[in-house]
Amino acid sequence: PFVFIEDGAVIEENVSIGAGSFIGKGVKIGTNTKIGSNVSIECAEIGKNVLIYSGVKIGQSGFGFAPTKKGHIKIPQVGNVIIGDNVEVGSNTCIDRGSHGSTSIGEGTFIDNLVHIAHNCIIGENCIIAGMVGLAGSTTLEDFVVMGAKSGAVGHITIGKGSQIAAKAGVSKTLPPGKIWAGFPIREINTWRKEMLSLRMASKDKKNDEK
């Protein structure tokens, strides 16, 4: 009920679309994809066997503006979103269209609820992105990257293949592949653990001195 599909959209076989969803002009949705209720999809190509949960917004304009002395000028967003096969997108997640070119999500990537992926991000294959992660524009995640809950990344950086980012960590620079990271500013997790232990011990020593 109350699904609206604009002219020119392509819906392949065995696709299901939940109540109240909107499919925009020119959108392509692959075979066996399942779309929940109140989903909005514009300017996007969706692969096969994709699972999109309720409330997801795909292909809306990214946050692009140019500051001037008289105020901010909106930069037109004219790109799209490409989502590969076998991807899951959790409830109320937002994936912005590219400002130019594409925002892309690689095959086999799983995205949790309440994630924001900004314009022109490139997400590799088989990544895991936990709830409330935020990725600024033009961030690249190579294959098999894991982003813990509430972690985030500044724009225009690359997180190397197989990297694991701990919950609430802030990625402020390009990271090499295959390591585990934590904290803000980001550092390797063993370094972060040692720092946290040192702070804890220093706090205990101070309390003992006060006694």
Side-chain angles (χ1 to χ4, degrees), residues 38-202:
N38 298 310
V39 171
S40 175
I41 303 176
E42 304 175 71
C43 308
E45 298 180 13
I46 312 296
K48 300 176 182 178
N49 305 309
V50 174
L51 180 56
I52 299 172
Y53 289 88
S54 297
V56 168
K57 309 300 178 187
I58 297 173
Q60 66 280 340
S61 289
F63 191 59
F65 61 92
T68 72
K69 292 181 179 179
K70 295 183 178 180
H72 304 309
I73 299 172
K74 176 69 177 175
I75 297 174
Q77 308 287 290
V78 297
N80 68 346
V81 176
I82 298 176
I83 296 180
D85 298 341
N86 305 305
V87 169
E88 289 195 14
V89 183
S91 296
N92 295 319
T93 283
C94 295
I95 304 174
D96 294 346
R97 67 190 292 193
S99 57
H100 56 84
S102 300
T103 301
S104 65
I105 313 295
E107 181 175 349
T109 285
F110 283 17
I111 301 171
D112 197 1
N113 304 333
L114 296 167
V115 170
H116 177 222
I117 297 174
H119 56 210
N120 294 103
C121 285
I122 299 173
I123 312 299
E125 296 182 359
N126 300 299
C127 293
I128 298 293
I129 303 177
M132 302 184 76
V133 165
L135 301 178
S138 299
T139 298
T140 296
L141 272 58
E142 295 183 344
D143 298 344
F144 292 97
V145 168
V146 176
M147 299 285 296
K150 293 189 178 181
S151 62
V154 302
H156 302 274
I157 63 168
T158 296
I159 299 177
K161 182 177 180 180
S163 295
Q164 297 182 39
I165 311 300
K168 295 188 177 181
V171 185
S172 56
K173 61 182 180 179
T174 289
L175 302 179
K179 295 184 178 182
I180 304 175
W181 304 84
F184 185 85
I186 199 83
R187 55 260 202 212
E188 288 189 53
I189 196 165
N190 287 337
T191 300
W192 175 79
R193 286 171 174 162
K194 290 175 182 177
E195 290 176 355
M196 294 301 102
L197 180 59
S198 296
L199 288 171
R200 186 178 301 174
M201 296 302 294

Side-chain angles (χ1 to χ4, degrees), residues 4-10 22-26 42:
F4 189 87
I5 301 173
E6 289 194 326
D7 292 342
V10 176
F22 170 81
I23 310 299
K25 182 178 180 180
E42 304 175 71

